[in-house]
Amino acid sequence: MSGADVRYRIVQAFFTVCLGVFFAGVYLRSGNLIAPIIAHALMDITGLTNPTLIGPKVAAVVSQTPSSLEFILIILLSLIILAFGLYYIRKEKWDDIDKTWDEFIIE
């Protein structure tokens, strides 16, 4: 990341936060760590086959300075991922999440 421009760093941080929200949502809803691990692996495989569509870190490897189009695609993908993550943990599902996690509580 050394030498990367500020715009790239901001987009990468935003993408990372969106992924974190998504993976947390998958984990909370499933109660299973394997589900977000599989989702992350699929994302990595997709990034290897089409780096422009997966994230700023991989896109920057392809071109040291991502184009404006790459930044727009990354931000749009980030927003979609964030929306799914927030959808998974929306307030209406808190009872389901509690039920899932109550199964893990050992008394």
Side-chain angles (χ1 to χ4, degrees):
M1 189 112 132
S2 144
D5 67 19
V6 173
R7 184 175 66 154
Y8 166 77
R9 291 177 188 214
I10 291 170
V11 170
Q12 183 180 22
F14 179 67
F15 182 75
T16 303
V17 167
C18 293
L19 279 177
V21 170
F22 174 74
F23 292 141
V26 171
Y27 178 63
L28 287 171
R29 287 292 298 277
S30 68
N32 183 339
L33 191 56
I34 296 299
I37 289 172
I38 291 171
H40 194 290
L42 291 173
M43 185 195 75
D44 288 345
I45 290 168
T46 304
L48 291 174
T49 58
N50 193 349
T52 307
L53 295 177
I54 199 57
K57 184 174 183 180
V58 178
V61 170
V62 174
S63 66
Q64 286 302 316
T65 306
S67 69
S68 295
L69 177 61
E70 288 174 325
F71 275 112
I72 291 169
L73 288 173
I74 293 163
I75 291 169
L76 287 174
L77 178 63
S78 299
L79 291 172
I80 291 168
I81 290 169
L82 179 64
F84 275 109
L86 293 174
Y87 180 77
Y88 288 152
I89 57 176
R90 66 191 183 279
K91 190 169 185 166
E92 294 84 20
K93 293 297 179 178
W94 287 0
D95 289 336
D96 292 341
I97 292 170
D98 284 341
K99 287 177 191 172
T100 300
W101 285 94
D102 285 343
E103 294 173 9
F104 294 108
I105 295 176
I106 300 173
E107 295 184 28

PDB file of all heavy atoms in Angstrom, residues 9-39:
ATOM      1  N   ARG A   9      -6.579   4.622  -1.065  1.00  0.00           N
ATOM      2  CA  ARG A   9      -6.650   4.176   0.329  1.00  0.00           C
ATOM      3  C   ARG A   9      -8.045   4.352   0.909  1.00  0.00           C
ATOM      4  O   ARG A   9      -8.529   3.497   1.646  1.00  0.00           O
ATOM      5  CB  ARG A   9      -5.625   4.930   1.174  1.00  0.00           C
ATOM      6  CG  ARG A   9      -4.207   4.543   0.846  1.00  0.00           C
ATOM      7  CD  ARG A   9      -3.227   5.346   1.625  1.00  0.00           C
ATOM      8  NE  ARG A   9      -1.882   5.089   1.141  1.00  0.00           N
ATOM      9  CZ  ARG A   9      -0.831   5.074   1.920  1.00  0.00           C
ATOM     10  NH1 ARG A   9      -0.941   5.319   3.200  1.00  0.00           N
ATOM     11  NH2 ARG A   9       0.354   4.840   1.410  1.00  0.00           N
ATOM     12  N   ILE A  10      -8.697   5.450   0.591  1.00  0.00           N
ATOM     13  CA  ILE A  10     -10.051   5.691   1.091  1.00  0.00           C
ATOM     14  C   ILE A  10     -11.018   4.665   0.521  1.00  0.00           C
ATOM     15  O   ILE A  10     -11.842   4.097   1.246  1.00  0.00           O
ATOM     16  CB  ILE A  10     -10.491   7.134   0.763  1.00  0.00           C
ATOM     17  CG1 ILE A  10      -9.675   8.127   1.591  1.00  0.00           C
ATOM     18  CG2 ILE A  10     -11.989   7.319   1.006  1.00  0.00           C
ATOM     19  CD1 ILE A  10      -9.851   9.575   1.180  1.00  0.00           C
ATOM     20  N   VAL A  11     -10.917   4.411  -0.775  1.00  0.00           N
ATOM     21  CA  VAL A  11     -11.807   3.426  -1.406  1.00  0.00           C
ATOM     22  C   VAL A  11     -11.552   2.032  -0.839  1.00  0.00           C
ATOM     23  O   VAL A  11     -12.490   1.276  -0.573  1.00  0.00           O
ATOM     24  CB  VAL A  11     -11.657   3.450  -2.946  1.00  0.00           C
ATOM     25  CG1 VAL A  11     -12.381   2.290  -3.587  1.00  0.00           C
ATOM     26  CG2 VAL A  11     -12.180   4.762  -3.491  1.00  0.00           C
ATOM     27  N   GLN A  12     -10.294   1.685  -0.618  1.00  0.00           N
ATOM     28  CA  GLN A  12      -9.984   0.375  -0.050  1.00  0.00           C
ATOM     29  C   GLN A  12     -10.549   0.242   1.361  1.00  0.00           C
ATOM     30  O   GLN A  12     -11.096  -0.799   1.721  1.00  0.00           O
ATOM     31  CB  GLN A  12      -8.487   0.116  -0.043  1.00  0.00           C
ATOM     32  CG  GLN A  12      -8.169  -1.280   0.479  1.00  0.00           C
ATOM     33  CD  GLN A  12      -6.689  -1.587   0.496  1.00  0.00           C
ATOM     34  OE1 GLN A  12      -5.861  -0.689   0.509  1.00  0.00           O
ATOM     35  NE2 GLN A  12      -6.355  -2.867   0.501  1.00  0.00           N
ATOM     36  N   ALA A  13     -10.416   1.294   2.168  1.00  0.00           N
ATOM     37  CA  ALA A  13     -10.963   1.258   3.530  1.00  0.00           C
ATOM     38  C   ALA A  13     -12.475   1.109   3.497  1.00  0.00           C
ATOM     39  O   ALA A  13     -13.052   0.325   4.258  1.00  0.00           O
ATOM     40  CB  ALA A  13     -10.560   2.523   4.292  1.00  0.00           C
ATOM     41  N   PHE A  14     -13.142   1.830   2.606  1.00  0.00           N
ATOM     42  CA  PHE A  14     -14.597   1.741   2.483  1.00  0.00           C
ATOM     43  C   PHE A  14     -15.015   0.328   2.064  1.00  0.00           C
ATOM     44  O   PHE A  14     -15.938  -0.263   2.628  1.00  0.00           O
ATOM     45  CB  PHE A  14     -15.100   2.781   1.473  1.00  0.00           C
ATOM     46  CG  PHE A  14     -16.581   2.748   1.263  1.00  0.00           C
ATOM     47  CD1 PHE A  14     -17.454   3.119   2.282  1.00  0.00           C
ATOM     48  CD2 PHE A  14     -17.119   2.356   0.047  1.00  0.00           C
ATOM     49  CE1 PHE A  14     -18.825   3.093   2.091  1.00  0.00           C
ATOM     50  CE2 PHE A  14     -18.483   2.330  -0.157  1.00  0.00           C
ATOM     51  CZ  PHE A  14     -19.339   2.697   0.871  1.00  0.00           C
ATOM     52  N   PHE A  15     -14.314  -0.221   1.079  1.00  0.00           N
ATOM     53  CA  PHE A  15     -14.602  -1.580   0.611  1.00  0.00           C
ATOM     54  C   PHE A  15     -14.438  -2.588   1.743  1.00  0.00           C
ATOM     55  O   PHE A  15     -15.271  -3.475   1.935  1.00  0.00           O
ATOM     56  CB  PHE A  15     -13.661  -1.920  -0.553  1.00  0.00           C
ATOM     57  CG  PHE A  15     -13.894  -3.271  -1.160  1.00  0.00           C
ATOM     58  CD1 PHE A  15     -14.976  -3.501  -1.996  1.00  0.00           C
ATOM     59  CD2 PHE A  15     -13.022  -4.319  -0.912  1.00  0.00           C
ATOM     60  CE1 PHE A  15     -15.185  -4.745  -2.573  1.00  0.00           C
ATOM     61  CE2 PHE A  15     -13.220  -5.565  -1.486  1.00  0.00           C
ATOM     62  CZ  PHE A  15     -14.313  -5.773  -2.310  1.00  0.00           C
ATOM     63  N   THR A  16     -13.381  -2.431   2.533  1.00  0.00           N
ATOM     64  CA  THR A  16     -13.101  -3.345   3.641  1.00  0.00           C
ATOM     65  C   THR A  16     -14.194  -3.266   4.710  1.00  0.00           C
ATOM     66  O   THR A  16     -14.630  -4.296   5.239  1.00  0.00           O
ATOM     67  CB  THR A  16     -11.721  -3.038   4.238  1.00  0.00           C
ATOM     68  OG1 THR A  16     -10.747  -3.142   3.201  1.00  0.00           O
ATOM     69  CG2 THR A  16     -11.371  -3.993   5.347  1.00  0.00           C
ATOM     70  N   VAL A  17     -14.639  -2.063   5.027  1.00  0.00           N
ATOM     71  CA  VAL A  17     -15.716  -1.898   6.011  1.00  0.00           C
ATOM     72  C   VAL A  17     -16.997  -2.557   5.505  1.00  0.00           C
ATOM     73  O   VAL A  17     -17.691  -3.262   6.253  1.00  0.00           O
ATOM     74  CB  VAL A  17     -15.952  -0.407   6.331  1.00  0.00           C
ATOM     75  CG1 VAL A  17     -17.246  -0.197   7.092  1.00  0.00           C
ATOM     76  CG2 VAL A  17     -14.777   0.162   7.101  1.00  0.00           C
ATOM     77  N   CYS A  18     -17.317  -2.348   4.234  1.00  0.00           N
ATOM     78  CA  CYS A  18     -18.524  -2.957   3.660  1.00  0.00           C
ATOM     79  C   CYS A  18     -18.454  -4.480   3.715  1.00  0.00           C
ATOM     80  O   CYS A  18     -19.435  -5.146   4.056  1.00  0.00           O
ATOM     81  CB  CYS A  18     -18.725  -2.481   2.221  1.00  0.00           C
ATOM     82  SG  CYS A  18     -19.125  -0.734   2.088  1.00  0.00           S
ATOM     83  N   LEU A  19     -17.289  -5.036   3.391  1.00  0.00           N
ATOM     84  CA  LEU A  19     -17.114  -6.492   3.486  1.00  0.00           C
ATOM     85  C   LEU A  19     -17.258  -6.964   4.922  1.00  0.00           C
ATOM     86  O   LEU A  19     -17.856  -8.015   5.172  1.00  0.00           O
ATOM     87  CB  LEU A  19     -15.742  -6.908   2.954  1.00  0.00           C
ATOM     88  CG  LEU A  19     -15.611  -7.027   1.452  1.00  0.00           C
ATOM     89  CD1 LEU A  19     -14.177  -7.365   1.080  1.00  0.00           C
ATOM     90  CD2 LEU A  19     -16.551  -8.058   0.899  1.00  0.00           C
ATOM     91  N   GLY A  20     -16.722  -6.209   5.858  1.00  0.00           N
ATOM     92  CA  GLY A  20     -16.845  -6.573   7.271  1.00  0.00           C
ATOM     93  C   GLY A  20     -18.291  -6.629   7.714  1.00  0.00           C
ATOM     94  O   GLY A  20     -18.705  -7.558   8.417  1.00  0.00           O
ATOM     95  N   VAL A  21     -19.084  -5.652   7.301  1.00  0.00           N
ATOM     96  CA  VAL A  21     -20.518  -5.640   7.642  1.00  0.00           C
ATOM     97  C   VAL A  21     -21.207  -6.839   7.010  1.00  0.00           C
ATOM     98  O   VAL A  21     -22.011  -7.531   7.648  1.00  0.00           O
ATOM     99  CB  VAL A  21     -21.181  -4.317   7.198  1.00  0.00           C
ATOM    100  CG1 VAL A  21     -22.695  -4.387   7.331  1.00  0.00           C
ATOM    101  CG2 VAL A  21     -20.630  -3.150   7.999  1.00  0.00           C
ATOM    102  N   PHE A  22     -20.891  -7.121   5.749  1.00  0.00           N
ATOM    103  CA  PHE A  22     -21.496  -8.259   5.062  1.00  0.00           C
ATOM    104  C   PHE A  22     -21.151  -9.580   5.748  1.00  0.00           C
ATOM    105  O   PHE A  22     -22.025 -10.390   6.048  1.00  0.00           O
ATOM    106  CB  PHE A  22     -21.047  -8.294   3.604  1.00  0.00           C
ATOM    107  CG  PHE A  22     -21.509  -9.515   2.863  1.00  0.00           C
ATOM    108  CD1 PHE A  22     -22.833  -9.644   2.475  1.00  0.00           C
ATOM    109  CD2 PHE A  22     -20.629 -10.545   2.580  1.00  0.00           C
ATOM    110  CE1 PHE A  22     -23.271 -10.771   1.799  1.00  0.00           C
ATOM    111  CE2 PHE A  22     -21.052 -11.677   1.907  1.00  0.00           C
ATOM    112  CZ  PHE A  22     -22.379 -11.790   1.513  1.00  0.00           C
ATOM    113  N   PHE A  23     -19.857  -9.805   6.011  1.00  0.00           N
ATOM    114  CA  PHE A  23     -19.438 -11.051   6.648  1.00  0.00           C
ATOM    115  C   PHE A  23     -20.001 -11.177   8.064  1.00  0.00           C
ATOM    116  O   PHE A  23     -20.349 -12.276   8.500  1.00  0.00           O
ATOM    117  CB  PHE A  23     -17.919 -11.192   6.657  1.00  0.00           C
ATOM    118  CG  PHE A  23     -17.317 -11.388   5.289  1.00  0.00           C
ATOM    119  CD1 PHE A  23     -16.124 -10.788   4.953  1.00  0.00           C
ATOM    120  CD2 PHE A  23     -17.941 -12.170   4.337  1.00  0.00           C
ATOM    121  CE1 PHE A  23     -15.560 -10.964   3.697  1.00  0.00           C
ATOM    122  CE2 PHE A  23     -17.405 -12.353   3.081  1.00  0.00           C
ATOM    123  CZ  PHE A  23     -16.207 -11.744   2.757  1.00  0.00           C
ATOM    124  N   ALA A  24     -20.097 -10.067   8.784  1.00  0.00           N
ATOM    125  CA  ALA A  24     -20.708 -10.101  10.121  1.00  0.00           C
ATOM    126  C   ALA A  24     -22.171 -10.489  10.023  1.00  0.00           C
ATOM    127  O   ALA A  24     -22.667 -11.291  10.826  1.00  0.00           O
ATOM    128  CB  ALA A  24     -20.565  -8.739  10.800  1.00  0.00           C
ATOM    129  N   GLY A  25     -22.866  -9.942   9.029  1.00  0.00           N
ATOM    130  CA  GLY A  25     -24.274 -10.302   8.835  1.00  0.00           C
ATOM    131  C   GLY A  25     -24.452 -11.777   8.514  1.00  0.00           C
ATOM    132  O   GLY A  25     -25.321 -12.449   9.068  1.00  0.00           O
ATOM    133  N   VAL A  26     -23.610 -12.288   7.639  1.00  0.00           N
ATOM    134  CA  VAL A  26     -23.679 -13.714   7.297  1.00  0.00           C
ATOM    135  C   VAL A  26     -23.405 -14.562   8.536  1.00  0.00           C
ATOM    136  O   VAL A  26     -24.104 -15.537   8.806  1.00  0.00           O
ATOM    137  CB  VAL A  26     -22.673 -14.057   6.163  1.00  0.00           C
ATOM    138  CG1 VAL A  26     -22.575 -15.560   5.961  1.00  0.00           C
ATOM    139  CG2 VAL A  26     -23.078 -13.368   4.871  1.00  0.00           C
ATOM    140  N   TYR A  27     -22.406 -14.170   9.302  1.00  0.00           N
ATOM    141  CA  TYR A  27     -22.050 -14.919  10.512  1.00  0.00           C
ATOM    142  C   TYR A  27     -23.170 -14.864  11.546  1.00  0.00           C
ATOM    143  O   TYR A  27     -23.554 -15.892  12.111  1.00  0.00           O
ATOM    144  CB  TYR A  27     -20.755 -14.354  11.090  1.00  0.00           C
ATOM    145  CG  TYR A  27     -20.314 -15.010  12.374  1.00  0.00           C
ATOM    146  CD1 TYR A  27     -19.986 -16.360  12.412  1.00  0.00           C
ATOM    147  CD2 TYR A  27     -20.221 -14.281  13.543  1.00  0.00           C
ATOM    148  CE1 TYR A  27     -19.574 -16.963  13.584  1.00  0.00           C
ATOM    149  CE2 TYR A  27     -19.810 -14.872  14.721  1.00  0.00           C
ATOM    150  CZ  TYR A  27     -19.492 -16.214  14.737  1.00  0.00           C
ATOM    151  OH  TYR A  27     -19.084 -16.807  15.903  1.00  0.00           O
ATOM    152  N   LEU A  28     -23.717 -13.677  11.781  1.00  0.00           N
ATOM    153  CA  LEU A  28     -24.778 -13.552  12.781  1.00  0.00           C
ATOM    154  C   LEU A  28     -26.028 -14.322  12.384  1.00  0.00           C
ATOM    155  O   LEU A  28     -26.671 -14.941  13.223  1.00  0.00           O
ATOM    156  CB  LEU A  28     -25.132 -12.073  13.000  1.00  0.00           C
ATOM    157  CG  LEU A  28     -24.101 -11.260  13.762  1.00  0.00           C
ATOM    158  CD1 LEU A  28     -24.466  -9.786  13.727  1.00  0.00           C
ATOM    159  CD2 LEU A  28     -23.981 -11.754  15.199  1.00  0.00           C
ATOM    160  N   ARG A  29     -26.392 -14.283  11.113  1.00  0.00           N
ATOM    161  CA  ARG A  29     -27.599 -14.975  10.671  1.00  0.00           C
ATOM    162  C   ARG A  29     -27.423 -16.479  10.636  1.00  0.00           C
ATOM    163  O   ARG A  29     -28.349 -17.232  10.930  1.00  0.00           O
ATOM    164  CB  ARG A  29     -28.018 -14.483   9.288  1.00  0.00           C
ATOM    165  CG  ARG A  29     -28.616 -13.094   9.275  1.00  0.00           C
ATOM    166  CD  ARG A  29     -29.971 -13.000   9.952  1.00  0.00           C
ATOM    167  NE  ARG A  29     -30.985 -13.794   9.331  1.00  0.00           N
ATOM    168  CZ  ARG A  29     -31.695 -13.431   8.280  1.00  0.00           C
ATOM    169  NH1 ARG A  29     -31.519 -12.250   7.741  1.00  0.00           N
ATOM    170  NH2 ARG A  29     -32.601 -14.237   7.777  1.00  0.00           N
ATOM    171  N   SER A  30     -26.227 -16.941  10.275  1.00  0.00           N
ATOM    172  CA  SER A  30     -26.032 -18.383  10.147  1.00  0.00           C
ATOM    173  C   SER A  30     -25.578 -19.018  11.457  1.00  0.00           C
ATOM    174  O   SER A  30     -25.796 -20.208  11.662  1.00  0.00           O
ATOM    175  CB  SER A  30     -24.989 -18.685   9.065  1.00  0.00           C
ATOM    176  OG  SER A  30     -23.712 -18.246   9.465  1.00  0.00           O
ATOM    177  N   GLY A  31     -24.938 -18.233  12.319  1.00  0.00           N
ATOM    178  CA  GLY A  31     -24.381 -18.798  13.544  1.00  0.00           C
ATOM    179  C   GLY A  31     -23.244 -19.755  13.243  1.00  0.00           C
ATOM    180  O   GLY A  31     -22.883 -20.591  14.057  1.00  0.00           O
ATOM    181  N   ASN A  32     -22.654 -19.612  12.075  1.00  0.00           N
ATOM    182  CA  ASN A  32     -21.667 -20.552  11.593  1.00  0.00           C
ATOM    183  C   ASN A  32     -20.519 -19.776  10.955  1.00  0.00           C
ATOM    184  O   ASN A  32     -20.745 -18.974  10.055  1.00  0.00           O
ATOM    185  CB  ASN A  32     -22.345 -21.460  10.561  1.00  0.00           C
ATOM    186  CG  ASN A  32     -21.452 -22.536  10.030  1.00  0.00           C
ATOM    187  OD1 ASN A  32     -20.236 -22.445  10.095  1.00  0.00           O
ATOM    188  ND2 ASN A  32     -22.064 -23.564   9.489  1.00  0.00           N
ATOM    189  N   LEU A  33     -19.308 -20.022  11.374  1.00  0.00           N
ATOM    190  CA  LEU A  33     -18.157 -19.319  10.830  1.00  0.00           C
ATOM    191  C   LEU A  33     -17.806 -19.801   9.424  1.00  0.00           C
ATOM    192  O   LEU A  33     -17.195 -19.071   8.650  1.00  0.00           O
ATOM    193  CB  LEU A  33     -16.954 -19.488  11.765  1.00  0.00           C
ATOM    194  CG  LEU A  33     -15.747 -18.617  11.500  1.00  0.00           C
ATOM    195  CD1 LEU A  33     -16.129 -17.143  11.498  1.00  0.00           C
ATOM    196  CD2 LEU A  33     -14.667 -18.877  12.523  1.00  0.00           C
ATOM    197  N   ILE A  34     -18.226 -20.996   9.079  1.00  0.00           N
ATOM    198  CA  ILE A  34     -17.910 -21.533   7.752  1.00  0.00           C
ATOM    199  C   ILE A  34     -18.592 -20.719   6.646  1.00  0.00           C
ATOM    200  O   ILE A  34     -18.005 -20.513   5.584  1.00  0.00           O
ATOM    201  CB  ILE A  34     -18.341 -23.025   7.661  1.00  0.00           C
ATOM    202  CG1 ILE A  34     -17.537 -23.862   8.655  1.00  0.00           C
ATOM    203  CG2 ILE A  34     -18.184 -23.556   6.252  1.00  0.00           C
ATOM    204  CD1 ILE A  34     -16.047 -23.863   8.432  1.00  0.00           C
ATOM    205  N   ALA A  35     -19.801 -20.221   6.881  1.00  0.00           N
ATOM    206  CA  ALA A  35     -20.529 -19.468   5.850  1.00  0.00           C
ATOM    207  C   ALA A  35     -19.759 -18.226   5.400  1.00  0.00           C
ATOM    208  O   ALA A  35     -19.560 -18.037   4.190  1.00  0.00           O
ATOM    209  CB  ALA A  35     -21.921 -19.113   6.346  1.00  0.00           C
ATOM    210  N   PRO A  36     -19.292 -17.351   6.310  1.00  0.00           N
ATOM    211  CA  PRO A  36     -18.526 -16.201   5.813  1.00  0.00           C
ATOM    212  C   PRO A  36     -17.160 -16.590   5.238  1.00  0.00           C
ATOM    213  O   PRO A  36     -16.654 -15.909   4.349  1.00  0.00           O
ATOM    214  CB  PRO A  36     -18.367 -15.296   7.027  1.00  0.00           C
ATOM    215  CG  PRO A  36     -18.784 -16.071   8.206  1.00  0.00           C
ATOM    216  CD  PRO A  36     -19.591 -17.224   7.728  1.00  0.00           C
ATOM    217  N   ILE A  37     -16.595 -17.695   5.707  1.00  0.00           N
ATOM    218  CA  ILE A  37     -15.329 -18.155   5.136  1.00  0.00           C
ATOM    219  C   ILE A  37     -15.535 -18.561   3.683  1.00  0.00           C
ATOM    220  O   ILE A  37     -14.743 -18.214   2.804  1.00  0.00           O
ATOM    221  CB  ILE A  37     -14.733 -19.317   5.964  1.00  0.00           C
ATOM    222  CG1 ILE A  37     -14.224 -18.795   7.301  1.00  0.00           C
ATOM    223  CG2 ILE A  37     -13.618 -20.026   5.195  1.00  0.00           C
ATOM    224  CD1 ILE A  37     -13.787 -19.873   8.274  1.00  0.00           C
ATOM    225  N   ILE A  38     -16.621 -19.275   3.409  1.00  0.00           N
ATOM    226  CA  ILE A  38     -16.935 -19.680   2.033  1.00  0.00           C
ATOM    227  C   ILE A  38     -17.231 -18.448   1.182  1.00  0.00           C
ATOM    228  O   ILE A  38     -16.758 -18.345   0.037  1.00  0.00           O
ATOM    229  CB  ILE A  38     -18.098 -20.684   2.013  1.00  0.00           C
ATOM    230  CG1 ILE A  38     -17.636 -22.015   2.611  1.00  0.00           C
ATOM    231  CG2 ILE A  38     -18.641 -20.871   0.599  1.00  0.00           C
ATOM    232  CD1 ILE A  38     -18.752 -23.015   2.834  1.00  0.00           C
ATOM    233  N   ALA A  39     -17.985 -17.490   1.732  1.00  0.00           N
ATOM    234  CA  ALA A  39     -18.281 -16.255   0.992  1.00  0.00           C
ATOM    235  C   ALA A  39     -16.987 -15.510   0.655  1.00  0.00           C
ATOM    236  O   ALA A  39     -16.819 -15.005  -0.459  1.00  0.00           O
ATOM    237  CB  ALA A  39     -19.221 -15.370   1.806  1.00  0.00           C
TER     238      ALA A  39
END
